[in-house]
Amino acid sequence: MFSKRLDNLHPYVPGEQPKDRDYIKLNANENPYPPSPRVKNAIDNYVCTHVEKLGLYPDPASEKLRESIAEMLNHSGGVLSNAFKNGDGDYSLISYVDDNIPFRVSKDMIFCGNGSDEVLSLVYYTFFNSGETVIVPRYTYSFYPVYAGYYGVPLDSVSLKEDWSLDTAQMTADAIKYNAPTIFANPNAPTGIGLSREGVRQMLEKCPKDKVFIVDEAYVDFGGQSCIPLLKEFPNLVIVRTFSKSMSLAGLRLGYVVANPDVINALFTVKNSFNHFPVDVLAQIAGETSCRDCAYYAKNAKKIVAERESFSTFLRERGFFVIPSSTNFVFAKKDGKRGEDLYKAIKEKGILVRHFATAGIEDFLRITIGTEEQMNALKAAMQNM
Ligand SMILES: *Cc1c(COP(=O)(O)O)cnc(C)c1O
């Protein structure tokens, strides 16, 4: 009765969402701050004054949302933690020339979906042929191999360098050797290391021009370098981003692609052959409102970056090896300690962090950066570890 395809599926396992106890949750890279108060107002308002509209289908093309996303990217330069001055409640835009996007991002360069996980699935469908190799780093977002099973795509997993950064030379050489597309997260997960835009450009210049090159910027707002400026030169570049991390909307499921219009049109063809309405009306409203209040999220991203640096110092002072992070989490281990034991000891103190059983990284903990209060609780819990 069941399809043969089912045998190729190895479902993704997300960070636990326990119900038995009120843990401090630092295990799923969620944002510890609530969405902008304007989001609550906009949703309240919509439901109170237009409840009958919940009976109607949403805009299948998310036109207003895509316009707001494009505006936000133009306004912020694509990296929230760098974009705004950190004055007393003054979050006006820094006019930083170097990092500006050298063209206007427009609505026809944006595609929206039900979380970037769904967007990634549609990207796989749009660009990867079953049986044809795709280049990925050995350690990266663990959904990429899951979708590879789903779509029957063999992966060429390229080892990281000794310092845990991407081996861009080897990835490029393999992409040329197999005439293959490439996908990775930048900054990468779970390592947290960012690759410079120049580093990505060097890969793009050598990798096959007729194969897609996918960069997942889920964490870029916490201090990475966005590749959006490279879209001007590279029509095969596809950038995937999400509202789940820097924009505090993981529960609403909203992700998007930034790419050239031909790519966006192909993604629409795929989406409209699968689910016409992946982004519901409340998610569209929340997304639009969030983009218009991106200074609020920029302020939170800056707070998270400051906590991350303070926590990394704390860990290093206690003998941990901490990979330098450009994200809202840190990846750390300590000689002589098993990752699973540390994870359990921290859980006993009411705090959840993430530990992976994957060979090669089993001694690491991946710890999401929370509020100052949450991080103080974690520091107290880890004082003698
Ligand atoms: C969290 C994450 C995603 C998924 O985000 P959603 O929009 O919540 O589906 C995608 N890629 C990476 C690298 C992530 O860490």
Side-chain angles (χ1 to χ4, degrees):
M1 169 166 93
F2 297 105
S3 76
K4 294 205 181 64
R5 281 193 296 254
L6 261 185
D7 299 340
N8 299 326
L9 299 188
H10 306 282
Y12 177 73
V13 184
E16 356 166 28
Q17 305 279 3
K19 313 224 161 33
D20 59 319
R21 174 175 170 183
D22 253 344
Y23 289 99
I24 296 180
K25 257 192 108 276
L26 303 175
N27 68 335
N29 294 344
E30 293 146 319
N31 198 304
Y33 299 102
S36 151
R38 293 191 209 170
V39 169
K40 181 181 179 304
N41 288 342
I43 290 182
D44 275 358
N45 229 333
Y46 190 84
V47 174
C48 290
T49 57
H50 298 296
V51 73
E52 74 289 351
K53 285 202 186 168
L54 294 183
L56 305 178
Y57 286 107
D59 172 8
S62 302
E63 300 280 351
K64 276 160 96 182
L65 171 59
R66 286 159 60 221
E67 226 159 79
S68 326
I69 292 170
E71 262 334 292
M72 169 185 72
L73 296 174
N74 289 322
H75 188 55
S76 67
V79 179
L80 288 178
S81 69
N82 293 344
F84 295 90
K85 266 189 278 202
N86 205 353
D88 283 335
D90 170 25
Y91 288 92
S92 46
L93 187 69
I94 294 174
S95 50
Y96 60 128
V97 181
D98 288 351
D99 240 15
N100 269 342
I101 300 172
F103 55 89
R104 275 191 71 74
V105 179
S106 48
K107 184 178 72 175
D108 60 355
M109 297 178 68
I110 308 291
F111 172 85
C112 295
N114 190 260
S116 63
D117 286 339
E118 187 200 61
V119 165
L120 281 163
S121 167
L122 300 175
V123 167
Y124 268 56
Y125 190 96
T126 305
F127 293 104
F128 297 166
N129 291 309
S130 91
E132 288 179 15
T133 302
V134 173
I135 311 300
V136 292
R138 171 77 182 83
Y139 300 110
T140 189
Y141 184 41
S142 41
F143 229 120
Y144 307 152
V146 173
Y147 283 141
Y150 189 95
Y151 288 109
V153 176
L155 294 179
D156 175 56
S157 300
V158 179
S159 297
L160 301 182
K161 292 201 288 195
E162 207 147 292
D163 66 358
W164 299 92
S165 65
L166 299 184
D167 190 341
T168 56
Q170 191 60 50
M171 289 173 71
T172 305
D174 282 16
I176 294 166
K177 177 169 139 199
Y178 296 111
N179 190 29
T182 298
I183 181 168
F184 60 93
N186 187 32
N188 197 20
T191 60
I193 301 177
L195 173 63
S196 70
R197 182 156 60 237
E198 206 38 50
V200 177
R201 181 205 299 279
Q202 284 171 15
M203 293 179 80
L204 275 161
E205 275 166 357
K206 297 194 195 110
C207 284
K209 297 278 191 288
D210 60 343
K211 299 290 171 188
V212 72
F213 190 100
I214 302 158
V215 180
D216 181 343
E217 296 192 338
Y219 298 107
V220 76
D221 280 324
F222 301 102
Q225 282 191 354
S226 176
C227 288
I228 293 173
L230 301 179
L231 288 170
K232 194 174 181 177
E233 297 157 68
F234 299 100
N236 62 329
L237 172 60
V238 172
I239 297 169
V240 179
R241 301 176 53 122
T242 176
F243 281 71
S244 294
K245 311 286 162 55
S246 57
M247 309 280 273
S248 302
L249 288 177
L252 269 189
R253 312 307 301 130
L254 195 50
Y256 59 101
V257 162
V258 193
N260 282 289
D262 285 352
V263 167
I264 303 302
N265 288 336
L267 284 166
F268 266 101
T269 302
V270 173
K271 174 200 79 122
N272 291 337
S273 312
F274 175 70
N275 176 4
H276 212 70
F277 303 106
V279 185
D280 68 68
V281 67
L282 297 181
Q284 293 192 30
I285 289 168
E288 277 165 53
T289 312
S290 289
C291 289
R292 276 187 252 114
D293 198 15
C294 62
Y296 166 85
Y297 298 101
K299 184 179 66 179
N300 293 342
K302 274 187 199 292
K303 281 194 225 167
I304 289 167
V305 167
E307 280 305 320
R308 175 187 77 209
E309 293 312 304
S310 148
F311 185 61
S312 299
T313 304
F314 168 91
L315 288 178
R316 289 188 183 113
E317 283 170 359
R318 276 153 193 80
F320 277 79
F321 167 70
V322 187
I323 298 181
S325 169
S326 305
T327 64
N328 67 338
F329 59 85
V330 295
F331 203 50
K333 64 174 180 176
K334 189 168 180 178
D335 272 353
K337 300 271 186 182
R338 292 180 58 226
E340 192 180 0
D341 295 340
L342 287 170
Y343 152 82
K344 281 186 181 150
I346 296 169
K347 185 171 177 180
E348 259 164 36
K349 300 195 174 177
I351 303 172
L352 280 181
V353 299
R354 189 97 196 252
H355 153 259
F356 299 90
T358 317
I361 54 171
E362 64 273 62
D363 283 340
F364 279 93
L365 294 178
R366 192 199 67 186
I367 303 170
T368 306
I369 303 301
T371 61
E372 183 180 3
E373 196 188 356
Q374 291 173 325
M375 297 317 285
N376 285 341
L378 178 61
K379 286 173 183 169
M382 294 184 73
Q383 197 58 251
N384 301 310
M385 285 183 185

